[in-house]
Amino acid sequence: MSSFILRKNNMSQIIKTKAIVLKKVDFSDSSRIATLFTEEFGKMSFIIKGARSAKSKIGMLIDTFNVLQIVFYKKPGRDVQIITQADLIKHHTKIMEDLEKLKYASAVIELLLKLTVEEEIHSKLFIGSEKILKLFNESNDMKFLFLKYLMFITKDIGYEINLESCSICETPFSKTKSMKYNHEIGMMCYSCGKDRVYTNEFSLELFNLLASLSSRNNESRGSDADINRLINFLERFLMYHIQEFNGIKSLHIF
Ligand SMILES: [Zn+2]
């Protein structure tokens, strides 16, 4: 653990934690309110007083995609905390220079903003998100990496698609030739699916790609069209299960 918690008194604590900058908005004459995804406490809002002054070091570091080490004085019951110190861990120079990188990195930020709740702890998701931004900065394989991340965040926030056996007759999917899916029932074997309404059809190849996304082995990568299909499928899956989630806008505006 890279952070420490020092008890100042019963009411508040000094916290040192890593954080990814998700969003910043101007506030009053000279300040900014920033939404950060912290390693210790999940998503949190902070006020940075005087952030818009050229002399504000913290203000300069509060920029979307930056990974920071921050220190703040955590007061319980306060919606917005105050950052007292910030140091840069990682600035993703290449993400800002490449529209494709920017598109997928923005989609990651958007998912963290829309799918996590303030102060709900997601340490594993933090590590995965820090890693994906680093990979986007370094590699050119954004779409497939994003698909893997989308599967990862879907699981991390508590939604898992049953990929083991048919939701109706429980036949293992290893014994069926293709699958059909609808949001109410889930994944169905070929026999159960053929007379039912479905939203998605999975060839064995597409199904295996979906099933392999959670494994560390990156061998089955699928075609570009299949990657698009699965991104679209998972986006729809999240929209069906999370009422207030209205899709991944970043994927459509770039
Ligand atoms: Zn079945």
Side-chain angles (χ1 to χ4, degrees):
M1 274 280 149
S2 62
S3 61
F4 65 84
I5 296 173
L6 190 80
R7 274 189 194 284
K8 187 149 179 168
N9 57 43
N10 290 334
M11 294 299 290
S12 51
Q13 304 162 305
I14 293 174
I15 309 289
K16 187 176 185 183
T17 181
K18 283 166 95 176
I20 299 167
V21 182
L22 303 179
K23 196 172 96 172
K24 59 175 179 182
V25 290
D26 288 348
F27 179 74
S28 76
D29 285 345
S30 60
S31 302
R32 278 206 174 105
I33 303 248
T35 310
L36 270 57
F37 190 60
T38 69
E39 185 169 24
E40 298 294 315
F41 298 98
K43 189 170 69 182
M44 291 185 76
S45 297
F46 296 90
I47 183 159
I48 300 102
K49 292 183 177 162
R52 277 140 74 197
S53 151
K55 288 178 195 158
S56 168
K57 182 199 162 197
I58 300 176
M60 278 172 62
L61 295 178
I62 297 290
D63 212 355
T64 310
F65 313 120
N66 276 355
V67 182
L68 309 175
Q69 178 93 262
I70 59 164
V71 177
F72 68 96
Y73 187 67
K74 188 172 189 292
K75 280 198 173 172
R78 194 158 66 182
D79 289 343
V80 179
Q81 308 286 343
I82 297 171
I83 296 180
T84 56
Q85 198 188 317
D87 291 292
L88 184 66
I89 293 177
K90 177 85 182 157
H91 173 69
H92 305 92
T93 321
K94 290 182 183 155
I95 287 177
M96 305 308 294
E97 294 168 351
D98 180 318
L99 266 187
E100 276 294 289
K101 289 180 189 288
L102 190 59
K103 167 179 166 175
Y104 289 104
S106 301
V108 164
I109 297 294
E110 190 183 337
L111 290 171
L112 291 172
L113 281 168
K114 288 180 173 175
L115 299 179
T116 67
V117 176
E118 293 248 345
E119 290 200 45
E120 190 178 80
I121 299 169
H122 289 280
S123 302
K124 201 176 141 203
L125 182 57
F126 178 89
I127 294 166
S129 304
E130 184 186 17
K131 189 174 155 199
I132 193 83
L133 290 176
K134 186 168 180 279
L135 288 170
F136 283 165
N137 197 54
E138 288 164 3
S139 97
N140 282 310
D141 196 17
M142 281 79 72
K143 195 187 279 185
F144 182 69
L145 290 170
F146 177 74
L147 172 59
K148 280 185 75 95
Y149 179 83
L150 189 54
M151 186 67 156
F152 164 69
I153 192 169
T154 299
K155 273 191 176 181
D156 190 87
I157 61 166
Y159 296 92
E160 193 148 13
I161 307 159
N162 168 21
L163 300 175
E164 296 298 318
S165 59
C166 173
S167 303
I168 292 170
C169 71
E170 296 182 358
T171 301
F173 286 133
S174 53
K175 292 183 180 152
T176 171
K177 53 183 176 179
S178 69
M179 298 80 182
K180 291 198 162 66
Y181 175 92
N182 82 42
H183 292 298
E184 270 165 49
I185 298 171
M187 202 68 82
M188 295 170 272
C189 72
Y190 175 78
S191 316
C192 294
K194 71 179 193 295
D195 298 323
R196 287 187 166 83
V197 175
Y198 61 89
T199 50
N200 298 75
E201 194 169 10
F202 287 82
S203 66
L204 207 52
E205 201 184 352
L206 188 65
F207 180 86
N208 287 338
L209 178 62
L210 180 68
S212 76
L213 293 174
S214 303
S215 75
R216 285 185 180 273
N217 125 49
N218 274 15
E219 277 165 32
S220 52
R221 308 184 57 86
S223 65
D224 194 58
D226 280 352
I227 295 172
N228 286 335
R229 269 185 206 111
L230 291 184
I231 289 175
N232 190 263
F233 167 70
L234 289 173
E235 184 184 17
R236 299 273 157 190
F237 174 86
L238 289 168
M239 286 167 79
Y240 178 81
H241 290 284
I242 304 169
Q243 250 185 355
E244 60 276 18
F245 180 66
N246 56 2
I248 313 168
K249 303 286 175 230
S250 309
L251 297 185
H252 310 292
I253 58 168
F254 281 89

